[in-house]
């Protein structure tokens, strides 16, 4: 079972991923948590390049780098783990590329879709949670996050960019309601967690 979490930076998706991991592990599932870009040596190296503020990266180079990091992760980690029956919880996946590079950077959507098809090798999550919060609220959450440090290259993109990204996620959810669950992320952690558990009970046979 493959489950991904999406949302703008600071929306609270990593927090929810950890809460879900704990419940799944307590109920006996074997769980693997991964983040994108990351989780393989190559993908973590690409992550460093992408998030560094030391250089500018063109939108197309950005699309290709995120896609390269993803396809390495899919082939080396996700496909083998799924074969073993592991529950994979992924902090971001291909919808991030559609939302950030497609809607945010406004790259040609057909090119984005082609890259996504190549990178994922057709591997898609069974369920994707989009934790929906407004830009201001996400910013506020990041300010209070003592572990966050300085804004990375992506986080410096500004309000209009993140508003396009959020609209992008809502458009993806509208297109694919069978997979993507929109969660009102403006509430407290426990209320969001309850919604996630309820959606998984409705949509999967996970022991929750
Ligand atoms: P993301 O992974 O989406 O960037 P995080 O889960 O790291 O977001 O959360 C960003 C910050 O907001 C963290 O300091 C976290 O503790 C806090 N946070 C997460 N969920 C909530 C919530 N529902 N209400 C208030 N603060 C939250
Ligand atoms: P990260 O620190 O993981 O962000 P967060 O904790 O908010 O999830 O950084 C990943 C950044 O990369 C984030 O700004 C979203 C962006 N991103 C894309 O633009 N495209 C992608 O395909 C992926 C996976 C991430």
């Amino acid at each position: 079972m493959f489950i991904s979490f999406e949302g703008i930076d600071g929306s609270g998706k990593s927090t929810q991923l950890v809460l879900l991991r704990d419940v799944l592990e307590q109920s006996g599932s074997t769980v693997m948590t991964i983040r994108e870009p990351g989780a393989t040596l190559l993908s973590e190296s690409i992550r460093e390049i992408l998030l560094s503020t030391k250089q500018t990266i063109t939108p197309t180079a950005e699309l290709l780098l995120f896609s390269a990091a993803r396809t390495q992760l899919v082939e080396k980690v996700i496909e083998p783990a799924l074969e073993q029956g592991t529950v994979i919880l992924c902090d971001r996946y291909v919808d991030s590329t559609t939302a950030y590079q497609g809607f945010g950077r406004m790259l040609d959507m057909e090119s984005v879709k082609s890259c996504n098809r190549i990178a994922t090798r057709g591997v898609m999550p069974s369920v994707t949670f989009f934790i929906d919060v407004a830009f201001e609220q996400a910013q506020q959450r990041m300010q209070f996050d003592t572990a966050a440090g300085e804004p990375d290259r992506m986080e410096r993109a500004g309000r209009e960019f993140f508003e396009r990204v959020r609209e992008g996620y809502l458009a993806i959810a509208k297109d694919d309601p069978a997979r993507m669950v929109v969660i009102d992320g403006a509430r407290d952690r426990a209320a969001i967690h309850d919604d996630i558990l309820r959606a998984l009970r409705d949509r999967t046979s996970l022991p929750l």
Side-chain angles (χ1 to χ4, degrees), residues 87-148:
V87 180
I88 299 178
L89 304 182
C90 199
D91 194 337
R92 300 191 177 281
Y93 191 59
V94 68
D95 300 311
S96 283
T97 302
T98 308
Y100 280 74
Q101 281 64 56
F103 286 87
R105 299 287 190 223
M106 296 191 281
L107 284 173
D108 166 57
M109 205 48 93
E110 282 312 307
S111 307
V112 173
K113 280 185 185 163
S114 299
C115 272
N116 288 346
R117 226 178 356 256
I118 294 167
T120 59
R121 302 159 52 85
V123 175
M124 287 297 286
S126 304
V127 183
T128 297
F129 291 106
F130 167 44
I131 313 295
D132 185 26
V133 302
F135 173 73
E136 290 77 16
Q137 191 161 23
Q139 287 289 108
Q140 223 171 26
R141 286 182 184 174
M142 282 197 290
Q143 272 165 18
F144 286 112
D145 190 350
T146 46

Side-chain angles (χ1 to χ4, degrees), residues 8-15 91 141 145 187-189 192:
I8 61 172
D9 300 61
S11 57
K13 63 192 156 37
S14 313
T15 301
D91 194 337
R141 286 182 184 174
D145 190 350
R187 297 162 303 148
D188 63 42
R189 293 168 181 79
I192 299 169

Side-chain angles (χ1 to χ4, degrees), residues 6 24 55 69 74 84 100 116 123 133 137 140 154 184:
E6 296 283 355
L24 284 167
Q55 64 190 335
V74 170
Q84 299 284 314
Y100 280 74
N116 288 346
V123 175
V133 302
Q137 191 161 23
Q140 223 171 26
M154 297 301 298
D184 174 5

